[in-house]
Amino acid sequence: MTSLECKKVSMKFGALAAVQMVSFSLNSGEILGMIGPNGAGKTTLFNCVIGVYRPTSGKIYVNGIDVTGMKPHKVCRIGLAKTSQIMEPFTGMTVFENVLVGALHGGRMKMGPASYKTEQVIELVGLNEYAYKLSGSIPVPVRRRLELARAIATGANILLLDENMAGLNPHEIDEALEILKKIRDSGKSLIVVEHIMRVVMGISDRIIVLNYGSKIAEGLPEEVVNNEAVIKAYLGEKLSSLKVA
Ligand SMILES: Nc1ncnc2c1ncn2[C@@H]1O[C@H](COP(=O)(O)OP(=O)(O)O)[C@@H](O)[C@H]1O
Ligand SMILES: [Mg+2]
């Protein structure tokens, strides 16, 4: 079953075509990797999908519903949530309270079910020992998990992750990969934007590649890394690190 479909989505900022005629679909239970150089349009495409921007043209369907131009809180209720490249938890609140906000507002749950959901999600992403710490006081890898937890707590079945592993060390990346697999196994579909090729290759069922706003390739991980256009546009300098991984 298709959980997300983008049809010829374009987004212009003045004369700049940040996203150009991008089409792709995300199947239920799938992890789709999205890669491309800085400025390729990945975050802008996410922002179109989530409703931060209304695309200049094209259509977006979430769980079969046309969400093109819908506001983010409505898109969230239809089943889609995003973590940010820039983390922005409410620093004066505890980790638990931050996740609870996701369940109460994003998921529109009542306090009882929201608290229960929050406990479950905190367990799922391994945040138990931090639950009652202020989110302003927790280290970066833990804040990354908090971002994930807030998105999951909304009840969305599709999660968009924008460089959620940036700044993590190799051991923390391994832990984060395990968490993503658990999240997928709990029934979510994910799109993962990440520069760390070991992550993208290790976790993606399929990969799409953006360059200058356009989709230049799509396929299985091994197809994409051997694609000439992808090597030229993006992977050139990354291939050596891939061979190590
Ligand atoms: N709000 C905006 N206004 C104008 N230009 C933008 C805006 N957001 C992004 N851009 C431009 O759109 C292009 C794509 O950016 P972005 O989506 O952030 O790329 P990526 O996430 O792949 O690094 C870049 O050239 C960027 O400078
Ligand atoms: Mg970006």
Side-chain angles (χ1 to χ4, degrees), residues 5 28 63 70 134 150 242:
E5 187 165 22
S28 183
N63 296 325
M70 232 182 235
L134 285 180
R150 289 205 306 180
L242 237 190

Side-chain angles (χ1 to χ4, degrees), residues 7-11 21 54-59:
K7 287 189 174 169
K8 296 184 180 171
V9 170
S10 296
M11 182 68 206
M21 300 285 277
R54 171 188 272 276
T56 315
S57 62
K59 287 278 181 195

Side-chain angles (χ1 to χ4, degrees), residues 29-47:
E30 185 178 40
I31 297 182
L32 180 68
M34 180 156 53
I35 58 175
N38 282 327
K42 304 177 299 291
T43 297
T44 303
L45 181 57
F46 269 9
N47 282 332

Side-chain angles (χ1 to χ4, degrees), residues 125-163:
V125 303
L127 275 175
N128 284 332
E129 62 176 299
Y130 298 96
Y132 299 104
K133 297 232 157 61
L134 285 180
S135 58
S137 72
I138 56 178
V140 168
V142 182
R143 284 177 67 161
R144 296 285 181 198
R145 288 188 202 185
L146 173 56
E147 279 286 315
L148 277 176
R150 289 205 306 180
I152 299 166
T154 66
N157 66 344
I158 307 163
L159 303 174
L160 308 185
L161 276 47
D162 199 351
E163 300 191 29

Side-chain angles (χ1 to χ4, degrees), residues 193-219:
V193 166
E194 207 57 70
H195 283 296
I196 309 156
M197 283 311 289
R198 177 166 76 88
V199 170
V200 182
M201 292 297 290
I203 204 161
S204 304
D205 297 306
R206 278 187 304 132
I207 296 176
I208 64 173
V209 188
L210 295 190
N211 191 35
Y212 292 111
S214 299
K215 187 176 83 174
I216 58 166
E218 170 171 359

